[in-house]
Amino acid sequence: RISWISDVIVVVSPENTETMKTIIEKYGHKKVTVVKGGITRHRSIFNGLKVFAENEFSSHLLQKPEVVIIHDAVRPFVEEDIVAKVVMAAKEHGAAGAIRPLVSTVIASAADGCLDHSLERARYRASEMPQAFLFDTIYEAYQQCTDYDLDYGTECLHLVLKYCKTNAKLVEGTADLWKVTYKRDLYAADSIIKDNLSQQVCVITNVKETLAQVGFLLPESLKSQIKVEAISQSLSKNDSHLQNIISGQCYNFVCVNDKRCAIQEIQELVDMLEKSNIPLLYPVVLISVHLDISENNSFSIGMEDLTMIKKFARETKKKNILVYGLLIQCKVCNYL
């Protein structure tokens, strides 16, 4: 998703390595290397760094980067902007990490279970991810750290301060950097993703006068609620505008046509979706609207078209693309 990142190292537990490889192959990720993790956080990160310097964890060494970004999978909503900020800060200072204000006061308990003391919340921040480091700095820190650090430590920024005397630059993060920790957080994350995917739709019509009118009125009625991209032309595999929309991870399409059978055009759009880099982790919704304004329109003929779309939809559903057919029959175009 972020073009200027050259390699992505995914560190997973040994028992889940094959599952992760299957996922990567299924969704066509090209620059991902899977590495077996260790028994602790720091040992796992160290294993991930070794693919740039040692042959133990990879069949071939990857080109050593100037800056390495460390992120954790439990924060799935990181934006490119915050990644870029910590990278630029790391290039200047040697290390950088995202922070957020504390939402609760931190207290310490005494041996008897009673309050010992509390921290002044305004003076402290929560350390978040992503964090970025000059590769040589973070790798040197891990080479020098003790087994105790590897087994009980959690903060990468502390390691480079302790062993490399590098003071990390702290970058204010966004509210999206929350952790999926408990089962209830999975439902929240799923809802956020679905809500984001539903906020954009692409309306495709051809240049015929009646359809162009529909192509204008539909976006006008929707744009107060969601982001709408409107294209008034026939589908084409060489349509760079449409390809850019797909690459921008638009998951919702409405195709308005007046052809007796629009399966061919819908098939072209499905082909474009499959060949794009859009990850089909959630269903793409494609609505084919057949506008029949002929004088001799027939309900039975219209049903034949919908039957064909229904058959086509059963096949595309296997690819996580949901196709729906809508037939609109009218003799007076003024109804539009």
Side-chain angles (χ1 to χ4, degrees), residues 109-114 116:
S109 61
D112 59 0
C114 297
D116 182 70

Side-chain angles (χ1 to χ4, degrees), residues 259-287:
K259 295 183 178 180
R260 276 285 299 115
C261 183
I263 291 296
Q264 182 176 353
E265 286 197 350
I266 301 302
Q267 179 65 66
E268 289 182 1
L269 179 55
V270 170
D271 291 342
M272 292 178 68
L273 288 166
E274 289 186 298
K275 293 178 180 178
S276 71
N277 292 323
I278 180 173
L280 301 183
L281 303 176
Y282 284 83
V284 171
V285 176
L286 198 166
I287 302 176

Side-chain angles (χ1 to χ4, degrees), residues 86-147:
V86 296
V87 166
M88 295 306 296
K91 290 185 69 172
E92 181 178 353
H93 298 274
I99 58 171
R100 289 289 298 160
L102 290 174
V103 295
S104 299
T105 300
V106 179
I107 63 174
S109 61
D112 59 0
C114 297
L115 176 67
D116 182 70
H117 67 278
S118 64
L119 300 181
E120 185 181 344
R121 189 168 63 183
R123 294 183 55 197
Y124 295 87
R125 294 292 184 270
S127 178
E128 305 287 357
M129 291 291 179
Q131 295 177 350
F133 306 85
L134 293 177
F135 178 83
D136 290 337
T137 300
I138 186 65
Y139 191 66
E140 179 185 347
Y142 272 105
Q143 285 181 308
Q144 294 188 46
C145 68
T146 66
D147 285 337

Side-chain angles (χ1 to χ4, degrees), residues 90-205:
K91 290 185 69 172
E92 181 178 353
H93 298 274
I99 58 171
R100 289 289 298 160
L102 290 174
V103 295
S104 299
T105 300
V106 179
I107 63 174
S109 61
D112 59 0
C114 297
L115 176 67
D116 182 70
H117 67 278
S118 64
L119 300 181
E120 185 181 344
R121 189 168 63 183
R123 294 183 55 197
Y124 295 87
R125 294 292 184 270
S127 178
E128 305 287 357
M129 291 291 179
Q131 295 177 350
F133 306 85
L134 293 177
F135 178 83
D136 290 337
T137 300
I138 186 65
Y139 191 66
E140 179 185 347
Y142 272 105
Q143 285 181 308
Q144 294 188 46
C145 68
T146 66
D147 285 337
Y148 184 87
D149 292 320
L150 292 174
D151 290 335
Y152 299 103
T154 59
E155 182 53 73
C156 301
L157 300 179
H158 177 71
L159 288 183
V160 295
L161 175 61
K162 181 178 179 180
Y163 293 106
C164 301
K165 309 304 179 187
T166 299
N167 289 303
K169 179 67 174 179
L170 303 181
V171 179
E172 194 69 32
T174 63
D176 294 332
L177 299 180
W178 57 279
K179 295 175 66 175
V180 177
T181 306
Y182 303 104
K183 186 175 181 179
R184 63 175 181 270
D185 297 329
L186 290 173
Y187 299 111
D190 187 64
S191 297
I192 290 172
I193 294 171
K194 289 179 178 178
D195 184 62
N196 289 339
L197 295 181
S198 67
Q199 295 305 305
Q200 181 177 3
V201 62
C202 177
V203 178
I204 304 171
T205 62

Side-chain angles (χ1 to χ4, degrees), residues 219-226:
E220 284 296 307
S221 64
L222 292 175
K223 69 180 184 180
S224 62
Q225 306 172 51
I226 59 176

Side-chain angles (χ1 to χ4, degrees), residues 26-137:
K26 178 179 179 180
Y27 294 105
H29 298 301
K30 303 301 183 183
K31 53 185 180 181
V32 178
T33 300
V34 178
V35 175
K36 293 181 180 180
I39 59 175
T40 65
R41 169 186 172 84
H42 277 321
R43 291 188 184 276
S44 293
I45 294 174
F46 196 11
N47 287 355
L49 294 172
K50 288 177 180 178
V51 300
F52 299 104
E54 302 178 21
N55 287 317
E56 179 184 356
F57 290 93
S58 179
S59 58
H60 65 281
L61 293 181
L62 299 178
Q63 183 176 353
K64 186 178 74 173
E66 178 185 3
V67 175
V68 62
I69 305 161
I70 298 177
H71 191 63
D72 48 20
V74 294
R75 293 180 177 87
F77 301 116
V78 62
E79 295 292 336
E80 182 175 356
D81 181 61
I82 187 64
V83 177
K85 285 180 178 178
V86 296
V87 166
M88 295 306 296
K91 290 185 69 172
E92 181 178 353
H93 298 274
I99 58 171
R100 289 289 298 160
L102 290 174
V103 295
S104 299
T105 300
V106 179
I107 63 174
S109 61
D112 59 0
C114 297
L115 176 67
D116 182 70
H117 67 278
S118 64
L119 300 181
E120 185 181 344
R121 189 168 63 183
R123 294 183 55 197
Y124 295 87
R125 294 292 184 270
S127 178
E128 305 287 357
M129 291 291 179
Q131 295 177 350
F133 306 85
L134 293 177
F135 178 83
D136 290 337
T137 300

Side-chain angles (χ1 to χ4, degrees), residues 205-212 232-234:
T205 62
N206 64 31
V207 294
K208 291 184 180 180
E209 182 178 354
T210 303
L211 297 182
S232 294
Q233 62 189 56
S234 297

